[in-house]
């Protein structure tokens, strides 16, 4: 079973738990990115399939980022009906990993994590600071702050960004070290080839002298 299939299955399970009020009776705010947003989206689809009387007051706000779900208006309109508060689609136009995955999966529709969904009641928010799918993990706090989500701790957001920047710095250093090692390896190989060439030239010269 693929990660996507597991996320869809988990989303339905979450929808069942919410509908049965296993998590309590107070409205919940759902936040997710990448496959996490797919889980939430599928949970909302399950809730939308139930009578409104069973889902009233279950979900307040929904914030989805980098969602690997279609931008088809119908399911987004269904998700909008379930939420009493805001439904936000945070997308990154430079998320090339998600774009490639969507193409590989044969999706012939737009992907919500890459573009606006243009559905009434759904807020589309461009997250320009995200230039890669793996960056969502370190940018969710900033994205929530950008869209004015309640209860976001600005200090924690700054800490999250600093941690992410440090991870990027360390990764760049490692990449630089790998490149240096590759250059050294190429230089050693070139020296070996040069030495081998000199040795072969010496042997050839010795053979010519002996022939004389």
């Amino acid at each position: 079973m693929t990660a996507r299939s597991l996320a869809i299955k988990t989303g339905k399970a979450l929808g069942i738990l919410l509908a049965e009020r296993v998590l309590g009776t107070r409205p919940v705010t759902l936040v997710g990115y990448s496959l996490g947003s797919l889980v939430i989206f599928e949970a909302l689809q399950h809730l939308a399939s139930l009578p409104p009387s069973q889902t009233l007051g279950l979900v307040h706000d929904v914030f989805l980022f980098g969602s690997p779900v279609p931008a088809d208006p119908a399911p987004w309109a269904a998700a909008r009906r379930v939420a009493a508060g805001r439904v936000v689609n945070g997308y990154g136009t430079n998320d090339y990993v998600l774009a490639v995955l969507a193409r590989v999966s044969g999706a012939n529709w737009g992907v919500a994590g890459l573009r606006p969904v243009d559905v009434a009641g759904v807020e589309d928010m461009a997250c320009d600071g995200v230039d890669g799918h793996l960056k969502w993990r370190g940018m969710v706090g900033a994205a929530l702050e950008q869209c004015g989500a309640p209860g976001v701790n600005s200090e924690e957001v700054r800490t999250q960004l600093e941690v992410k920047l440090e991870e990027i710095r360390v990764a760049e250093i490692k990449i630089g070290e790998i490149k240096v090692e590759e250059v050294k390896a190429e230089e050693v190989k070139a020296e070996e080839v040069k030495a081998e060439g000199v040795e072969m030239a010496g042997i050839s010269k010795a053979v010519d002298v002996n022939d004389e």
Side-chain angles (χ1 to χ4, degrees), residues 9-207:
K9 186 175 181 180
T10 303
K12 184 175 181 179
L14 175 60
I16 293 172
L17 292 174
L18 289 171
E20 294 179 353
R21 289 174 166 75
V22 174
L23 304 177
T25 58
R26 296 180 62 183
V28 297
T29 292
L30 302 173
V31 180
Y33 71 93
S34 189
L35 288 176
S37 64
L38 175 58
V39 170
I40 294 172
F41 194 77
E42 289 299 321
L44 296 176
Q45 298 308 301
H46 175 75
L47 293 176
S49 69
L50 302 176
S53 59
Q54 293 185 28
T55 61
L56 184 64
L58 283 178
V59 179
H60 187 55
D61 292 332
V62 178
F63 300 93
L64 304 179
F65 302 100
S67 305
V69 301
D72 185 12
W76 279 92
R80 171 63 271 182
R81 289 196 303 271
V82 173
R86 302 170 63 192
V87 175
V88 177
N89 170 46
Y91 64 93
T93 56
N94 295 322
D95 190 343
Y96 300 113
V97 173
L98 182 57
V100 170
L101 291 176
R103 184 178 293 275
V104 170
S105 66
N108 56 0
W109 48 68
V111 178
L114 297 171
R115 48 157 286 185
V117 296
D118 294 325
V119 172
V122 176
E123 302 174 40
D124 292 306
M125 186 185 70
C127 301
D128 298 328
V130 178
D131 56 3
H133 199 66
L134 299 179
K135 288 192 176 180
W136 277 115
R137 181 169 66 89
M139 294 292 294
V140 169
L144 285 169
E145 190 174 46
Q146 180 183 339
C147 63
V152 178
N153 187 318
S154 298
E155 187 175 337
E156 287 296 327
V157 170
R158 286 194 296 273
T159 300
Q160 187 182 54
L161 289 174
E162 289 171 0
V163 170
K164 190 61 182 177
L165 288 173
E166 179 62 17
E167 289 177 354
I168 293 172
R169 188 187 69 82
V170 171
E172 288 176 344
I173 290 174
K174 288 183 178 179
I175 292 172
E177 291 175 348
I178 291 172
K179 288 183 177 179
V180 168
E181 291 300 322
E182 289 176 349
V183 170
K184 288 182 179 179
E186 289 295 328
E187 290 176 348
V188 169
K189 186 176 180 180
E191 289 296 326
E192 290 176 349
V193 170
K194 182 178 179 181
E196 185 177 345
V198 171
E199 183 178 351
M200 292 300 297
I203 293 173
S204 177
K205 185 176 181 180
V207 170

